[in-house]
């Protein structure tokens, strides 16, 4: 009987954790100022665009492909928005300095390298557009 209660408790805990993680996916967070921007990221920022979206990916990440398509399409349809991608597979020091805990992570940068916002997971198009609107006007 005790084994049944333990199994039930584990199932409930796993279900709650799954819903919590799913709720965080694609959520836009306002950024906190970071110390030093890695050179690999600095080189990707377009100084002529008001916002550059830098997608931080890895080669084995399936959601990264979906994010690439979504962000490329969004950048092609939005004036002042650029999309770049950085593969972090062989750059653990860059991932650590940017505090990337999962891929894909999308970071919006101003031309001066200031981080505007960050999205963990596949972004929700409408939410991302709304969050970027003040920076593109």
């Amino acid at each position: 009987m005790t084994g049944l209660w333990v199994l039930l408790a584990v199932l409930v805990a796993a279900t709650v954790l799954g819903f919590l993680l799913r709720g965080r996916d694609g959520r836009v967070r306002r950024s906190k100022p970071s110390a030093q921007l890695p050179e690999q990221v600095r080189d990707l920022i377009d100084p002529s665009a008001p916002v550059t979206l830098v997608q931080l990916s890895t080669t084995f990440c399936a959601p990264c492909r979906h994010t690439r398509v979504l962000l490329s399409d969004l950048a092609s349809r939005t004036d002042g928005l650029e999309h770049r991608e950085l593969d972090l597979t062989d750059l653990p020091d860059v991932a650590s300095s940017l505090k990337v805990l999962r891929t894909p992570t999308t970071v919006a940068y101003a031309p001066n390298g200031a981080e505007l916002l960050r999205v963990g997971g596949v972004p929700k198009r409408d939410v991302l557009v709304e969050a970027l609107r003040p920076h593109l006007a």
Side-chain angles (χ1 to χ4, degrees), residues 13-32:
T15 302
V16 169
L17 182 62
F19 281 121
L20 288 174
L21 290 175
R22 180 185 244 179
R24 291 182 51 134
D25 194 37
R27 189 180 63 158
V28 174
R29 295 182 299 145
R30 300 292 173 207
S31 297
K32 300 172 187 162

Side-chain angles (χ1 to χ4, degrees), residues 4 9-10 22 32 44 64 75 78 82-83 89 94 118 123 133:
L4 182 62
V10 169
R22 180 185 244 179
K32 300 172 187 162
L44 294 175
C64 294
T78 308
E82 291 293 323
H83 171 242
T89 304
V94 174
R118 179 179 290 232
R133 193 175 313 271

Side-chain angles (χ1 to χ4, degrees), residues 30-132:
R30 300 292 173 207
S31 297
K32 300 172 187 162
S34 59
Q36 183 70 13
L37 197 60
E39 182 180 344
Q40 294 91 333
V41 176
R42 235 179 307 120
D43 293 343
L44 294 175
I45 297 173
D46 184 348
S48 66
V51 177
T52 302
L53 294 176
V54 177
Q55 177 186 339
L56 304 168
S57 304
T58 51
T59 55
F60 51 84
C61 168
C64 294
R65 284 176 266 203
H66 180 66
T67 301
R68 180 182 311 114
V69 170
L70 185 140
L71 295 179
S72 295
D73 180 59
L74 184 62
S76 70
R77 296 172 185 248
T78 308
D79 290 335
L81 186 64
E82 291 293 323
H83 171 242
R84 305 286 189 267
E85 186 173 4
L86 180 63
D87 187 343
L88 297 177
T89 304
D90 298 322
L91 301 170
D93 52 326
V94 174
S96 176
S97 69
L98 293 174
K99 296 179 177 65
V100 174
L101 301 176
R102 64 186 287 197
T103 57
T105 293
T106 304
V107 185
Y109 288 104
N112 65 358
E115 187 174 317
L116 303 172
L117 57 89
R118 179 179 290 232
V119 180
V122 178
K124 294 174 176 69
R125 180 187 289 266
D126 298 337
V127 175
L128 182 60
V129 168
E130 191 60 36
L132 290 173

